[in-house]
Each structure stands twice: as C-alpha cells, then as structure tokens.
C-alpha cells in the first residue's frame, strides 16, 4: 500500500525551503544589447542613403520606362535625340538622322570613321579635321561640293589624284576659276574621243618662244607649234606657218 504523508503547517510555524543554486536569464543584456541596437541603426542609415542616391541617379540620368535621357529604346534599335557626347569608341551598324533634320558630328579634334573587313583590317578610313577631309582609300560619291563662298580643294600630298567615271567627269565652277597644280605632270587623255577646250580665251602664258630663222617676220602675232615629243612652243606668225623656221626649240 502507498502511504501518503501530509505536512500540516500551523500558524506560527516557519519552514525554510531550499534555495535554487543556478539562475538562468533569457535575452540579451548589457553591452551586447547596445551594440545590436547600434548595428540596426547603422543599417537603417545605410538603407536610407542608398535609397536617396538611387532616386537622385534616376532623376539626374533621366531614366524612364522607354530609355535613359535622350536615348530611347525602340523596336528598330536605339533612338538618340538632342546633343550627346561619347567618351569611348562607338560601334554601330547604321546611323541615321530624322527625316526633317541633318546628322551632325562634332569633336574638339578630329572625327575618324573607319571601315573594316571580317579579319579586322581597315579597308577605308575618313578623317575630318581643321585641314579638311582625309581619305586613305578610294572614295565613291556622286557629288563633291564646298561650302558657300569657300574653295573646293582636292589634294593628294604623296600620291597621284585620279578621278574616274564611266560616263565622264564634270568639273564646274559657277563663280570662280578651276586651278590644277602638280609637282610632276598633268595628263589630259581621252581614249575614245576628242579633247575640247571650249572657252572665249585659251591662254598658255609660259610657253617657250621658238628661235627665229633668217626669214622670220615680226608682226606681234604668234602661233602655237608642237614638237614631235608633244612639247608646245610659240612661233612668230606669218602669212603661212612658221613652225618649221622656229623649230630649233625641239632639238
């Protein structure tokens, strides 16, 4: 049988209970709690600063659902409106302007446009600077003109200058003169046709004057004579040709 024991406490009787030897506290207290609060406050400050910087960048860079600033993303590619500055090389397949405006490229120094083949070699290059436009290879264009009230100058400093066209080359100056300068020879050649100098006055001011023979006449008029090698010279004109009399320049 189980015997139950009951303790009866009467008034005035004090019974001492044994005290607990170990006390466990739950939570963070002391300097650890202060460090945790400081760390949470620091994270909150960083979050607010990052959010403010993000909003500022979005506002300054003009970010929008369709692009950034003057740069808009369309189904056909990128559309750039207004003036823009590129600090690094720009590689694109095609650049076009709007239908109602022209395409303007500006640089503090030179503007260089290069064309490369599949192997990366330069096949054509265009440089535009204060001295004009420099083409390193051949150029194909239907029309070349200068700005109003400015001269058009085509120059090849170290090579020859060649202009070819299947139906002819037309050089026209409406309000000025055409001047051709060469360090060596200037050759006007027509393989199938005639060379026509159609003008009111055709002048050759620096032709050499042929030496007069014994029967030469002096009337103040001259005729142009041609040597067998193609050299031109002046001969004093007479009733008949005097080229044979003055042909000593050809010797």
């Amino acid at each position: 049988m189980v015997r139950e024991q009951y303790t009866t406490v009467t008034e005035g009787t004090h019974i001492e209970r044994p005290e607990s030897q170990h006390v466990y506290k739950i939570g963070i207290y002391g300097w650890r709690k202060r460090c945790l609060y400081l760390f949470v406050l620091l994270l909150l400050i960083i979050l607010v600063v990052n959010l403010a910087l993000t909003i500022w960048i979005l506002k300054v860079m003009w970010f929008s659902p369709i692009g950034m600033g003057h740069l808009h993303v369309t189904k056909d590619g990128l559309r750039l409106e207004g003036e823009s500055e590129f600090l690094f090389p720009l590689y694109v397949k095609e650049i076009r302007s709007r239908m109602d405006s022209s395409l303007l490229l500006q640089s503090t120094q030179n503007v260089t446009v290069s064309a490369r083949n599949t192997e990366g070699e330069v096949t054509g290059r265009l440089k535009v600077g204060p001295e004009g436009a420099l083409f390193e290879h051949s150029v194909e264009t239907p029309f070349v003109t200068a700005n109003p009230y400015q001269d058009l100058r085509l120059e090849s400093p170290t090579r020859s200058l060649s202009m070819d066209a299947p139906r002819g080359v037309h050089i026209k100056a409406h309000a000025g003169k055409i001047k051709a300068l060469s360090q060596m020879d200037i050759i006007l050649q027509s393989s199938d046709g005639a060379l026509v100098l159609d003008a009111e006055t055709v002048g050759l001011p620096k032709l050499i004057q042929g030496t007069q023979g014994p029967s030469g006449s002096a009337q103040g008029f001259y005729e142009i004579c041609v040597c067998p090698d193609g050299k031109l010279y002046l001969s004093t004109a007479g009733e008949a040709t005097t080229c044979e009399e003055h042909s000593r320049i050809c010797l």
Side-chain angles (χ1 to χ4, degrees):
M1 297 181 63
V2 179
R3 179 179 296 178
E4 296 181 358
Q5 295 181 357
Y6 297 92
T7 303
T8 303
V9 179
T10 59
E11 294 182 1
T13 304
H14 177 71
I15 299 176
E16 295 183 358
R17 295 181 179 181
E19 296 181 358
S20 178
Q21 300 297 329
H22 302 282
V23 178
Y24 298 96
K25 296 182 179 180
I26 301 175
I28 301 176
Y29 300 93
W31 64 271
R32 294 184 179 87
K33 183 177 182 181
R34 290 190 294 268
C35 290
L36 179 60
Y37 287 163
L38 181 61
F39 181 71
V40 172
L41 180 61
L42 181 61
L43 290 180
L44 183 61
I45 294 175
I46 294 176
L47 179 62
V48 173
V49 172
N50 287 336
L51 181 61
L53 289 177
T54 303
I55 296 176
W56 179 77
I57 292 175
L58 293 176
K59 184 177 180 181
V60 171
M61 300 300 295
W62 296 356
F63 279 100
S64 64
I66 61 175
M68 179 182 66
H70 297 296
L71 186 63
H72 297 166
V73 181
T74 62
K75 61 180 182 180
D76 298 329
L78 298 179
R79 180 178 179 180
L80 184 62
E81 297 182 354
E83 297 182 359
S84 300
E85 181 178 358
F86 299 93
L87 301 179
F88 297 97
L90 176 64
Y91 301 94
V92 295
K93 182 179 180 181
E94 183 180 0
I95 298 178
R96 292 185 301 174
S97 64
R98 297 188 305 180
M99 298 298 297
D100 56 347
S101 62
S102 58
L103 180 63
L104 178 63
L105 300 177
Q106 288 184 343
S107 175
T108 56
Q109 296 181 0
N110 296 333
V111 176
T112 303
V113 181
S114 301
R116 300 178 182 272
N117 55 16
T118 55
E119 297 178 357
E121 299 176 352
V122 177
T123 58
R125 178 172 294 168
L126 167 63
K127 294 182 180 179
V128 182
E131 66 279 0
L134 175 61
F135 300 93
E136 294 188 0
H137 295 77
S138 60
V139 179
E140 181 179 353
T141 176
F143 187 68
V144 178
T145 183
N147 293 330
Y149 307 104
Q150 292 185 359
D151 296 335
L152 175 62
R153 184 176 180 181
L154 303 178
E155 180 181 0
S156 179
T158 59
R159 301 288 183 89
S160 60
L161 179 61
S162 176
M163 292 183 290
D164 301 326
R167 294 187 178 181
V169 178
H170 300 274
I171 302 176
K172 183 182 296 184
H174 295 281
K177 60 182 180 180
I178 297 176
K179 187 176 183 181
L181 299 177
S182 175
Q183 185 69 24
M184 300 297 292
D185 299 332
I186 298 178
I187 301 175
L188 302 178
Q189 182 179 359
S190 177
S191 59
D192 187 11
L195 182 61
V196 180
L197 300 178
D198 186 3
E200 182 179 353
T201 303
V202 178
L204 302 173
K206 294 186 178 181
L207 284 182
I208 301 176
Q209 184 174 350
T211 304
Q212 296 182 0
S215 60
S217 60
Q219 299 179 359
F221 298 96
Y222 299 90
E223 62 177 324
I224 299 177
C225 303
V226 183
C227 297
D229 60 356
K231 184 184 298 183
L232 301 178
Y233 66 94
L234 292 177
S235 176
T236 304
E239 294 181 359
T241 179
T242 60
C243 290
E244 294 181 0
E245 300 177 4
H246 303 148
S247 61
R248 297 181 181 179
I249 192 66
C250 298
L251 299 178

